[in-house]
């Protein structure tokens, strides 16, 4: 493995690992705060137990996200020093603000975990809510920095020099809103379905049904917010990509020839040498309509761009198709659940509905990883779109493959530890947090 490939592989692995915990940190505290609010309004001990159980999960995943995020910040300097030399002064503001949000989140989660029966009840609730707000802000700020790489702004590039720097314009670049909005809905969808799936499984096992039913319905509600928001945010994001990065759009659709009334391509196997897509389903004129609300609008094909500027078409196209496939499945599940909620309440505890949510547990994160692959690989061969190529930004230091192996071992170890801790936490829920459980009641009577 050469150094350039090793550097890209390490960043891909690190980002793919960290993004899961970023999304959990953006959403899980809101589930916790909602359960806590329900407890304060109803005085139902189940909601209190649920809040405590979820708060421990938030703490575990927050710690892991902090470790992986810190590693990423070091990797940027280690692997891409030329990029950081030029880009750091321009898009450093969202990173510094993200650090502030992280510190607020850390303080708030400490207050929340140790504030039971010590603070005013509504101040205590606000601490939990603040964990969610700061986590959401942290995610949006990081996305703003990434959006700058896709839509550079806030500077003039003259004779190879970056001058007239404006960090505010850099942070609020043309891509930040569409990416942040789509990322936020995707995080709610992925985390909501994952949590709902876990509790659906425990309901199917007839374990502490009252406790897990309330948890399942809260998580499913948040999943629906994300699932139904994704088509709206995805439409905005697609139009933004079509305007700013037409070559990325062409790769997403494996669209080789410029044409008016371009079809939307589902599936298929792209052949870059022949410039065609085999075995695809083409919906006439839909792509033109989606990017411009005009069925006859012109869409540029890959052949209109220099071959050296093409991203890896197959990777981008397959990732885009995976994202659409799993996103559509989650929307369909959301429709079924919403129908049951309003018109067929007897379905809500049916084994088949719970099994659907169990199967859908990883769907959101699969779609999320695929979407980020589209975003990052679709920008290639540029690290700063149209300004700096990725190959020109990599470190000249030899032996990067050993760094890749080392970091891979760390992430594998962290994954094993997280699985162990979360599994242990789930098994301990009845004894520690569920007032409907006999062991819980017996333990409290003794104390």
């Amino acid at each position: 493995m050469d150094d350039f490939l090793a550097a890209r592989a390490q960043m891909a692995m690190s980002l793919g690992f960290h993004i899961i915990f970023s999304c959990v940190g953006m959403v899980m505290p809101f589930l916790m705060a909602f359960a806590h609010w329900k407890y304060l309004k109803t005085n139902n001990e189940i909601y209190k137990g649920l809040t405590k159980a979820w708060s421990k999960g938030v703490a575990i995943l927050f710690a892991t996200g902090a470790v992986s995020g810190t590693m990423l910040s070091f990797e940027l300097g280690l692997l891409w020093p030329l990029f950081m030399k030029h880009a750091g002064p321009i898009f450093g503001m969202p990173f510094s603000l993200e650090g502030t949000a992280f510190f607020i989140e850390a303080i708030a989660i400490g207050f929340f975990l140790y504030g039971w029966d010590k603070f005013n009840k509504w101040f205590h609730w606000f601490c939990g809510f603040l964990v969610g707000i700061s986590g959401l802000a942290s995610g949006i700020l990081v996305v703003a920095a990434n959006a700058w790489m896709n839509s550079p702004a806030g500077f003039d590039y003259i004779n190879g020099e970056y001058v007239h720097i404006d960090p505010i314009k850099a942070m609020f670049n043309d891509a930040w809103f569409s990416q942040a909005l789509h990322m936020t809905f995707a995080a709610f969808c992925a985390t909501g379905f994952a949590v709902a799936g876990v509790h659906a499984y425990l309901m199917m096992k007839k374990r502490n049904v009252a406790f897990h039913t309330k948890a399942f319905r809260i998580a499913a509600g948040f999943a629906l917010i994300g699932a139904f928001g994704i088509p709206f945010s995805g439409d905005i994001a697609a139009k933004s990509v079509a305007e700013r990065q037409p070559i990325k759009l062409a790769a997403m659709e494996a669209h080789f020839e410029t044409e008016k009334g371009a079809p939307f391509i589902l599936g298929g196997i792209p052949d870059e040498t022949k410039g065609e897509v085999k075995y695809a389903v083409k919906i006439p004129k839909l792509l033109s309509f989606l990017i411009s609300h005009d069925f006859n609008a012109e869409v540029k094909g890959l052949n209109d761009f220099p071959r050296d500027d093409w991203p890896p078409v197959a990777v981008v196209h397959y990732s885009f198709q995976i994202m659409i496939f799993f996103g559509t499945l989650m929307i369909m599940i959301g429709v079924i659940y919403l129908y049951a909620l309003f018109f067929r309440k007897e379905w809500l505890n049916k084994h088949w509905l719970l099994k659907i949510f169990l199967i859908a547990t990883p769907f959101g994160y699969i779609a999320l990883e695929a979407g980020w692959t589209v975003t990052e690989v679709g920008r290639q061969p540029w690290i700063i779109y149209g300004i700096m190529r990725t190959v020109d930004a990599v470190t000249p230091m030899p032996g990067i493959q050993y760094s890749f192996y080392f970091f891979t071992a760390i992430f594998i170890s962290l994954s094993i530890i997280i699985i162990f801790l979360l599994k242990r936490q789930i098994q301990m829920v009845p004894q520690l947090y569920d007032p409907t459980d006999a062991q819980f009641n017996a333990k409290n009577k003794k104390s």
Side-chain angles (χ1 to χ4, degrees):
M1 182 182 293
D2 63 46
D3 289 336
F4 178 57
L5 180 60
R8 290 187 63 187
Q10 183 172 326
M11 283 302 299
M13 177 189 59
S14 302
L15 286 167
F17 184 88
H18 180 67
I19 195 173
I20 295 174
F21 301 99
S22 297
C23 289
V24 172
M26 291 170 71
V27 179
M28 197 68 202
F30 287 113
L31 274 73
M32 177 187 76
F34 184 82
H36 193 191
W37 176 79
K38 291 285 287 185
Y39 166 64
L40 295 176
K41 297 294 287 186
T42 65
N43 209 32
N44 186 329
E45 289 291 322
I46 291 180
Y47 287 117
K48 181 180 181 180
L50 180 56
T51 304
K52 288 189 173 183
W54 276 347
S55 68
K56 295 296 175 63
V58 168
I60 292 169
L61 295 168
F62 172 81
T64 309
V67 171
S68 60
T70 302
M71 290 167 67
L72 264 174
S73 64
F74 284 111
E75 285 177 310
L76 283 171
L78 171 70
L79 302 175
W80 314 103
L82 189 61
F83 166 71
M84 292 304 295
K85 174 185 176 182
H86 295 294
I90 304 171
F91 79 149
M93 179 175 286
F95 274 132
S96 62
L97 292 175
E98 190 273 337
T100 303
F102 172 79
F103 285 124
I104 293 172
E105 186 179 5
I107 294 167
I109 199 170
F111 277 14
F112 187 80
L113 289 173
Y114 299 103
W116 289 98
D117 304 319
K118 295 181 178 68
F119 297 140
N120 171 277
K121 65 179 184 180
W122 286 108
F123 175 75
H124 184 222
W125 172 85
F126 177 73
C127 289
F129 183 69
L130 186 60
V131 175
I133 293 295
S134 53
L136 185 62
S138 181
I140 290 173
L141 287 164
V142 170
V143 170
N146 177 267
W148 178 85
M149 297 165 70
N150 288 305
S151 182
F155 66 98
D156 292 322
Y157 187 64
I158 302 173
N159 297 326
E161 297 292 329
Y162 299 79
V163 297
H164 306 144
I165 292 171
D166 186 339
I168 300 296
K169 286 185 178 179
M171 185 165 68
F172 296 109
N173 56 78
D174 290 341
W176 86 268
F177 176 75
S178 60
Q179 282 196 211
L181 184 67
H182 196 48
M183 177 66 185
T184 300
F185 280 123
F188 272 85
C189 186
T191 304
F193 270 101
V195 176
V198 170
H199 291 287
Y201 171 75
L202 295 169
M203 288 171 68
M204 291 167 62
K205 292 293 184 180
K206 306 297 182 185
R207 297 178 184 173
N208 316 94
V209 174
F211 181 90
H212 292 296
T213 296
K214 293 188 184 301
F216 168 77
R217 293 186 181 177
I218 292 173
F222 277 83
L224 261 61
I225 293 172
F228 293 144
I230 280 176
F232 167 72
S233 62
D235 179 65
I236 294 174
K239 287 180 171 60
S240 177
V241 169
E243 181 181 348
R244 297 177 295 96
Q245 296 175 295
I247 191 169
K248 179 188 284 188
L249 177 74
M252 288 160 59
E253 278 291 291
H255 185 68
F256 289 95
E257 297 296 335
T258 298
E259 62 180 307
K260 294 182 178 181
F264 187 85
I265 296 175
L266 291 173
I269 301 174
D271 185 337
E272 295 184 43
T273 57
K274 294 183 178 180
E276 62 182 19
V277 185
K278 299 177 181 178
Y279 316 115
V281 176
K282 297 184 179 182
I283 305 174
K285 299 189 176 185
L286 183 58
L287 180 60
S288 291
F289 178 78
L290 289 175
I291 65 170
S292 64
H293 292 165
D294 179 358
F295 284 109
N296 295 309
E298 184 177 88
V299 179
K300 285 190 175 182
L302 286 163
N303 290 332
D304 268 20
F305 301 95
R307 191 64 180 255
D308 288 345
D309 290 346
W310 287 19
V313 177
V315 174
V316 177
H317 178 69
Y318 293 143
S319 299
F320 183 59
Q321 297 296 314
I322 290 169
M323 181 184 69
I324 291 175
F325 176 75
F326 284 103
T328 303
L329 284 180
M330 289 184 288
I331 292 170
M332 292 170 62
I333 294 169
V335 170
I336 294 170
Y337 181 78
L338 206 60
Y339 180 78
L341 196 62
F342 286 101
F343 303 107
R344 291 287 188 272
K345 290 190 181 295
E346 66 274 14
W347 288 5
L348 294 175
N349 293 313
K350 294 290 186 181
H351 190 275
W352 62 266
L353 183 64
L354 297 174
K355 192 170 184 179
I356 287 174
F357 273 90
L358 172 60
I359 294 170
T361 300
F363 285 4
Y365 286 109
I366 294 172
L368 188 75
E369 296 284 5
W372 269 100
T373 301
V374 172
T375 299
E376 294 300 290
V377 179
R379 189 182 61 246
Q380 299 307 313
W382 306 98
I383 192 168
I384 306 175
Y385 188 70
I387 303 292
M388 179 185 289
R389 290 182 179 266
T390 308
V391 70
D392 296 328
V394 72
T395 179
M397 184 179 71
I400 293 299
Q401 68 268 29
Y402 300 110
S403 171
F404 169 64
Y405 301 145
F406 175 71
F407 277 83
T408 301
I410 290 177
F411 286 125
I412 292 172
S413 301
L414 280 174
S415 299
I416 293 170
I417 293 168
I418 292 161
I419 292 169
F420 169 77
L421 289 175
L422 290 178
K423 182 180 179 182
R424 183 171 176 269
Q425 177 65 21
I426 292 169
Q427 291 172 340
M428 291 173 62
V429 163
Q431 299 95 308
L432 296 179
Y433 308 113
D434 187 356
T436 65
D437 181 71
Q439 286 180 279
F440 175 91
N441 291 321
K443 184 177 180 180
N444 279 312
K445 283 180 181 179
K446 288 181 182 179
S447 60

